[in-house]
Amino acid sequence: LLHQFKLKSAVIIEDIKNKNILKHYLSIRKKLFNQVHVLSENALDLNHFITDNVQQGNILCLTWDRYFGQNPIMTQLFNQPIKLPPGIFKIAVTHNIPILVCAVYFNQHHGWHASIHNPIYPLSHLPITSAIYNLATRTAPILEKSLSQQPDQWHLFYPLQ
């Protein structure tokens, strides 16, 4: 969709210890996105990357289960307690940008399928910590719906080696 509609996009990926896997992963991501940022220990560098892309109106694609921050947010998925990483929610609140929950999976009858849910906007009138928690808890049911579409194909929540 990004290429079809000529949308400018950026993605942040983690620095993987195995450099051969990282090199391969980077080559794939560079074909899909206009800009690729490898997450480092330099938080200022990450903040500049995010700020620059948001200000340019680019779509910032983040894998929601990666941390990019501290202190997990306790909520529920499928009536079970879960710790959601706060990073994507903190980024959305800090920059006042919506979360778009997206899923891509394969359906035997129709081939590849992508679902993009309605934007979830942060509530700017709340204090930042409350706004992050609020956004995460409003996002959880949509993540649940997305996960239930093809649960056998869900591959996140596993650490990268």
Side-chain angles (χ1 to χ4, degrees):
L1 290 174
L2 295 172
H3 292 290
Q4 181 180 353
F5 293 104
K6 297 182 181 6
L7 300 172
K8 291 192 177 186
S9 61
V11 67
I12 298 170
I13 63 171
E14 291 179 86
D15 189 3
I16 303 168
K17 290 179 185 175
N18 183 320
K19 297 306 174 193
N20 287 331
I21 293 174
L22 177 62
K23 183 178 176 182
H24 179 69
Y25 193 58
L26 270 170
S27 70
I28 293 169
R29 291 295 181 242
K30 286 180 178 177
K31 291 175 186 172
L32 298 172
F33 300 98
N34 299 96
Q35 295 181 49
V36 178
H37 179 80
V38 178
L39 187 62
S40 69
E41 297 297 318
N42 187 346
L44 186 61
D45 185 38
L46 175 63
N47 193 44
H48 284 151
F49 180 81
I50 293 168
T51 302
D52 289 347
N53 277 282
V54 169
Q55 287 175 346
Q56 292 172 26
N58 294 344
I59 293 175
L60 190 57
C61 303
L62 303 173
T63 306
W64 68 272
D65 73 331
R66 300 300 179 211
Y67 261 74
F68 307 121
Q70 306 287 324
N71 304 323
I73 299 166
M74 290 302 299
T75 189
Q76 289 201 350
L77 284 180
F78 302 102
N79 296 318
Q80 296 295 315
I82 186 172
K83 295 177 181 177
L84 285 181
I88 192 167
F89 306 109
K90 184 176 181 181
I91 291 166
V93 168
T94 303
H95 296 282
N96 198 30
I97 53 177
I99 300 280
L100 286 173
V101 176
C102 306
V104 177
Y105 53 88
F106 188 79
N107 178 301
Q108 290 181 337
H109 303 291
H110 304 290
W112 286 102
H113 179 78
S115 63
I116 303 172
H117 299 270
N118 289 331
I120 309 163
Y121 291 89
L123 300 178
S124 57
H125 67 279
L126 295 176
I128 191 164
T129 304
S130 299
I132 291 168
Y133 177 79
N134 176 278
L135 186 59
T137 56
R138 288 187 296 127
T139 302
I142 298 164
L143 292 172
E144 193 174 278
K145 181 180 178 183
S146 186
L147 286 167
S148 65
Q149 289 173 327
Q150 288 293 139
D152 60 316
Q153 295 183 33
W154 194 254
H155 66 279
L156 300 177
F157 294 120
Y158 294 97
L160 296 174
Q161 300 295 323

